[in-house]
Amino acid sequence: MTNPKNRTFFIFMAFALAVGILIGSLTAVSDGFPKDSPLANQYVSPLFSGNTLLEIFRNTFLSASGILAVIFCTGFFAVGQPFSLAMLIYRGFGIGFSTAFTYMAFGKSGFYITMLFIVPKILATSVIIMLAVRESVRLSNIIYGYIFRETVQENMGKYIRLYCVKFIILVLLVLITASADCGINYLFG
């Protein structure tokens, strides 16, 4: 059975992602915001991912792994928790922005494009990023306890090594996700 604290934190992370999606969607429909900004669209939509399979792979991989890199770094700070969660909101922003822009560009057929090209990628990367945030917050909490509460953490080096291994696995999952995104674009694009 799952720990109620873990379930509550997962719901909180999903809420943060949903807030980002809402903000991104509202931003996409507003005038004056650059639609082709990689910081905004995060290469979620096939409209922005690139023209070749190599560009699609590169953009999908770098976008998600860049977010993972920031989350990885925030885990080493005692007060890194809000910054890790902010990255979830940022990813949600990219999802909402790209999805809304896809609907605006393609109308009703944007639904099929979203379901085929965007949803598989965002589901996979969102879960990966949520796992990264969970691990980052855990390490940040341990470091916070060590610094401010003088809680002695046995085997801190072992925990940091485990933290690094988990992030290597998450980057490998992003690599698989980027490859799958290329496959979907190749087969149906």
Side-chain angles (χ1 to χ4, degrees):
M1 189 153 237
T2 61
N3 184 347
K5 285 176 75 175
N6 289 341
R7 189 178 14 230
T8 302
F9 188 61
F10 175 78
I11 291 169
F12 183 71
M13 288 191 300
F15 179 75
L17 190 67
V19 166
I21 291 171
L22 178 65
I23 294 169
S25 298
L26 294 174
T27 303
V29 297
S30 69
D31 289 335
F33 199 84
K35 307 292 189 222
D36 59 347
S37 168
L39 292 175
N41 64 54
Q42 301 171 26
Y43 301 112
V44 172
S45 173
L47 295 172
F48 306 116
S49 294
N51 295 324
T52 67
L53 290 179
L54 182 61
E55 287 176 346
I56 293 168
F57 176 83
R58 179 196 67 206
N59 292 338
T60 300
F61 178 74
L62 291 178
S63 173
S65 61
I67 292 171
L68 282 182
V70 171
I71 294 169
F72 175 79
C73 292
T74 61
F76 290 102
F77 292 94
V79 291
Q81 303 92 334
F83 299 104
S84 294
L85 290 168
M87 293 310 294
L88 265 176
I89 295 171
Y90 173 68
R91 182 57 173 182
F93 179 89
I95 292 168
F97 186 88
S98 293
T99 304
F101 191 73
T102 302
Y103 281 119
M104 289 183 338
F106 292 103
K108 290 181 183 178
S109 63
F111 173 78
Y112 301 109
I113 293 169
T114 300
M115 294 307 290
L116 183 62
F117 293 104
I118 297 176
V119 169
K121 180 181 4 182
I122 64 171
L123 285 177
T125 58
S126 294
V127 168
I128 292 167
I129 290 170
M130 287 173 131
L131 291 171
V133 167
R134 182 188 69 184
E135 295 306 319
S136 176
V137 167
R138 281 183 183 169
L139 181 62
S140 186
N141 286 340
I142 289 171
I143 292 172
Y144 180 86
Y146 180 75
I147 293 172
F148 295 110
R149 291 189 227 140
E150 297 179 4
T151 307
V152 177
Q153 178 63 32
E154 303 283 327
N155 301 324
M156 188 62 155
K158 183 178 177 183
Y159 191 80
I160 289 175
R161 277 192 302 277
L162 179 62
Y163 178 76
C164 292
V165 167
K166 287 179 180 181
F167 268 84
I168 289 170
I169 292 169
L170 293 174
V171 169
L172 290 174
L173 290 174
V174 168
L175 191 67
I176 293 168
T177 302
S179 299
D181 187 34
C182 280
I184 289 171
N185 277 281
Y186 177 75
L187 292 174
F188 302 106

